[in-house]
Amino acid sequence: MKIGFIGAGKMATALASGFIKGGLTASENIVASDVIPSARKHFGDATGARTAAENNSVIQSSDILVLAVKPQQMAEVMATVSHSLTDRHLVISIAAGITLSRMAAALGDNRRIVRVMPNTPCLVKAGASAFALGGTANRDDAATVQKLLSTVGIAVEVSESLLDAVTGLSGSGPAYAFQIIEALSDGGVRAGLPRTVATQLAAQTLLGAAKMVLETGEHPGSLKDAVTSPGGTTIAGLHEMERGGVRAALMNAVLTAAQRSQELGKS
């Protein structure tokens, strides 16, 4: 696959690195453009792929074009690339909030376009992505996107109306998880553990808990109950979490991020 990225930031780097590490394509088949020299350098250093300061060479070298710029930059980018696209191009956008209808209006109704919401754990092949088809994209295109994203984690196809919710949950979710890991590590330090040990245990605990949910298929509540003995340490800790409003705070974080994604799409 010949893949081009317009935008060479963290998410583009994570995806490109994942595609290469997963054996989906080689670094010589990937090229990225970015107006920021430091972004181009980081992308090139991390992936071994080519970079460019302008977009035309990326478009000409690619069959799959990933628009990996900030939502606020999408209108300008789509205006500059629209005249260079051909029927061979599958256009994938990872910009939060930018709807398929806006993309079709800017790029042309005849374009094969897909809207994707990935997340940064794609870099370690543990991504959680969702996508929706638009324009003239067909089932073969869906299979291509599924293959790309499955190389760097899991991928699900959803209706576009659900992508803002995906953005609030899995798109922004790694940041929530990092904060939880940091807080658990702080608790371990407060209880006397060295920082390195506390952070390692906290991160592995979340990783192990997540694997149990995915691999057993059991409801998280059931798995929680299996750890919680009457009058024991775990129920005492859970009580403190409930008193601190952790559950409500996480729910509100997802909802607020999803609403922000909607706002970005309208701006």
Side-chain angles (χ1 to χ4, degrees):
M1 295 183 180
K2 294 183 178 180
I3 305 171
F5 290 85
I6 305 297
K10 293 179 181 178
M11 195 67 247
T13 303
L15 288 172
S17 298
F19 297 158
I20 295 167
K21 290 178 181 177
L24 189 63
T25 193
S27 58
E28 56 263 31
N29 294 324
I30 292 179
V31 59
S33 62
D34 201 295
V35 296
I36 302 174
S38 60
R40 296 198 301 270
K41 184 179 186 306
H42 180 262
F43 184 96
D45 290 345
T47 66
R50 293 179 292 123
T51 62
E54 44 79 33
N55 299 332
N56 281 338
S57 61
V58 174
I59 299 170
Q60 293 170 6
S61 302
S62 307
D63 299 316
I64 299 171
L65 186 67
V66 183
L67 303 182
V69 298
K70 290 179 170 56
Q72 298 89 336
Q73 300 170 321
M74 274 290 284
E76 180 182 356
V77 167
M78 289 190 295
T80 60
V81 306
S82 60
H83 64 281
S84 300
L85 295 175
T86 68
D87 292 342
R88 83 170 190 275
H89 286 107
L90 172 62
V91 182
I92 299 173
S93 167
I94 63 172
I98 305 302
T99 63
L100 290 168
S101 61
R102 284 185 63 185
M103 292 174 63
L107 301 176
D109 292 333
N110 60 327
R111 296 298 171 214
R112 294 151 53 216
I113 55 178
V114 182
R115 182 180 167 192
V116 173
M117 188 64 243
N119 64 5
T120 53
C122 289
L123 182 59
V124 292
K125 298 179 67 175
S129 306
F131 66 94
L133 302 183
T136 58
N138 53 42
R139 298 318 305 169
D140 288 340
D141 295 325
T144 296
V145 174
Q146 181 79 49
K147 184 177 181 179
L148 283 168
L149 297 176
S150 294
T151 305
V152 293
I154 66 169
V156 295
E157 183 177 0
V158 299
S159 64
E160 187 185 19
S161 62
L162 297 177
L163 281 179
D164 290 317
V166 171
T167 301
L169 177 57
S170 57
S172 300
Y176 313 153
F178 296 144
Q179 193 166 68
I180 291 169
I181 291 170
E182 183 183 35
L184 289 173
S185 176
D186 285 345
V189 171
R190 178 66 179 85
L193 290 173
R195 171 64 69 184
T196 55
V197 172
T199 300
Q200 187 177 26
L201 290 175
Q204 182 64 30
T205 297
L206 259 68
L207 175 62
K211 284 177 67 68
M212 287 186 70
V213 171
L214 292 173
E215 294 181 9
T216 67
E218 291 190 42
H219 190 281
S222 297
L223 294 171
K224 177 207 70 178
D225 289 346
V227 186
T228 310
S229 303
T233 60
T234 304
I235 192 61
L238 288 170
H239 186 199
E240 286 301 316
M241 291 178 67
E242 291 295 338
R243 288 207 301 182
V246 172
R247 186 194 302 262
L250 290 171
M251 291 172 65
N252 288 336
V254 173
L255 289 173
T256 300
Q259 291 164 0
R260 179 56 180 156
S261 178
Q262 292 176 335
E263 292 170 0
L264 289 171
K266 295 175 182 177
S267 62

